[in-house]
């Protein structure tokens, strides 16, 4: 990344009170009853659908699927290269990273699954995602990419 800075997927010190990173790498947070919960960019149903797709793909392929949505920095390829090693089980996983403001989709896979998550499989995932992204449906694009890649991996 530009300037030599690197970043983990989640910086625990920056999480709000009542939040924690679980052993799987996901963030779990409390919500106080009666307080508005307006700060999520996705609905609960969208997040559940994404979580189900990630879980189903991981179980079907034995490859850990991870998704990242956010800025990848000035050089998205370098940003995702710095981000990928910080994801859970990076050695045997695939990361689908999306930077909506930059209109960039990057996919990386670990060395332990490189023979199964090939460039062809990654390209299938990008193609599946981009068609939904063109219609401004970020979650559907991620889910499509995950499902298409999972199907391609299990057929190998």
């Amino acid at each position: 990344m530009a300037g030599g800075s690197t970043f983990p997927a989640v910086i625990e010190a920056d999480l709000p009170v009542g939040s924690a990173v679980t052993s799987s790498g996901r963030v779990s947070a409390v919500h106080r009853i009666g307080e508005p919960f307006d700060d999520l960019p996705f609905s609960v149903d969208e997040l559940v659908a994404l979580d189900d797709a990630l879980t189903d793909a991981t179980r079907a392929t034995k490859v850990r699927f991870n998704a990242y949505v956010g800025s990848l920095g000035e050089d998205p390829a370098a940003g995702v290269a710095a981000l990928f090693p910080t994801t859970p089980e990076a050695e045997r996983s695939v990361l689908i990273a999306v930077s909506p403001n930059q209109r960039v989709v990057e996919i990386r896979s670990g060395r332990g699954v490189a023979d199964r998550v090939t460039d062809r499989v990654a390209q299938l995932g990008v193609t599946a995602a981009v068609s939904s992204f063109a219609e401004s449906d970020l979650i559907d694009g991620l889910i499509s990419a995950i499902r298409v890649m999972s199907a391609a991996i299990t057929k190998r």
Side-chain angles (χ1 to χ4, degrees):
M1 257 173 78
S5 65
T6 60
F7 53 91
V10 175
I11 300 171
E12 289 189 65
D14 292 343
L15 292 174
V17 173
S19 300
V21 177
T22 66
S23 61
S24 70
R26 294 197 175 119
V27 175
S28 178
V30 298
H31 175 71
R32 296 174 197 248
I33 296 175
E35 290 182 4
F37 201 54
D38 304 331
D39 58 345
L40 290 179
F42 307 113
S43 72
V44 171
D45 290 341
E46 289 173 323
L47 293 173
V48 168
L50 178 59
D51 188 58
D52 287 346
L54 290 166
T55 302
D56 292 346
T58 298
R59 287 179 180 159
T61 62
K62 306 299 186 245
V63 172
R64 171 70 182 256
F65 276 76
N66 296 299
Y68 173 85
V69 177
S71 175
L72 294 169
E74 291 177 28
D75 180 359
V80 79
L83 174 64
F84 181 67
T86 68
T87 61
E89 301 179 62
E91 186 72 20
R92 60 175 246 10
S93 73
V94 62
L95 170 65
I96 303 168
V98 179
S99 181
N101 293 338
Q102 295 170 299
R103 303 174 76 80
V104 172
V105 180
E106 294 273 345
I107 296 180
R108 296 292 185 276
S109 64
R111 289 184 186 144
V113 296
D115 60 326
R116 297 172 61 210
V117 185
T118 62
D119 288 345
R120 180 186 148 281
V121 170
Q123 184 59 51
L124 288 170
V126 169
T127 302
V130 168
S131 62
S132 292
F133 294 167
E135 297 176 17
S136 299
D137 196 339
L138 189 59
I139 293 292
D140 188 55
L142 283 169
I143 291 170
S144 295
I146 292 164
R147 288 182 178 157
V148 166
M149 292 176 68
S150 174
I153 293 168
T154 55
K155 289 183 181 179
R156 296 192 90 231

